[in-house]
Amino acid sequence: MKLNYITLMVRDLEKSVDFYTKIAKLQVQANLKLPMGKIVFLANEEGETRLELVDFKGVEKVETKGLVLSFHVEGSLEEFYSTVVNAGYTPSDIFDMAPKPKHFKLKDPDGIIIEFSN
């Protein structure tokens, strides 16, 4: 069995797509316009687990308490951290707390904690 996708009912689809494509480096796999709203599927590449961002009117939006999404950063974490700061975001400090990998945290447009590590 393979995890197919994770669905987030987002508040602002454009801001979320911008965040996940520019910061998390995901690629748009599908962009659907339906009578009830829009859906965008994102992934690292075709065939991988996807993130489904849904913007339907009148539907409960994602709750963030206790939710963390984690991304592995290729290359220097410090350089990526600088890229995030230069993009106008305010990440946490970089934590180095072995045995957990070195990481920092940042909130997405819906307040979900996104952790970047390497």
Side-chain angles (χ1 to χ4, degrees):
M1 191 173 309
K2 179 181 176 182
L3 181 61
N4 191 20
Y5 55 86
I6 297 167
T7 301
L8 301 176
M9 305 300 273
V10 298
R11 289 169 181 78
D12 186 319
L13 185 63
E14 288 73 29
K15 282 184 182 178
S16 293
V17 169
D18 188 61
F19 177 86
Y20 285 103
T21 55
K22 290 183 179 171
I23 301 301
K25 307 298 183 198
L26 297 179
Q27 301 164 8
V28 173
Q29 301 293 312
N31 193 339
L32 309 172
K33 292 180 181 165
L34 306 170
M36 63 284 270
K38 299 175 186 174
I39 299 173
V40 175
F41 283 97
L42 303 151
N44 287 325
E45 58 186 52
E46 188 66 37
E48 288 199 9
T49 300
R50 296 174 292 170
L51 186 60
E52 177 189 33
L53 304 179
V54 178
D55 184 12
F56 289 173
K57 303 298 179 224
V59 176
E60 276 189 72
K61 303 304 178 185
V62 66
E63 295 291 329
T64 62
K65 187 175 181 179
L67 179 61
V68 178
L69 300 179
S70 182
F71 289 87
H72 177 79
V73 175
E74 298 290 333
S76 167
L77 188 65
E78 290 77 11
E79 287 178 19
F80 181 68
Y81 183 91
S82 293
T83 299
V84 169
V85 170
N86 290 336
Y89 293 95
T90 308
S92 71
D93 292 333
I94 296 176
F95 300 102
D96 192 358
M97 305 179 320
K100 186 171 178 146
K102 188 165 45 168
H103 67 281
F104 68 88
K105 297 176 182 180
L106 175 65
K107 289 187 178 181
D108 84 347
D110 285 287
I112 297 171
I113 295 172
I114 310 299
E115 184 176 275
F116 297 97
S117 65
N118 69 357

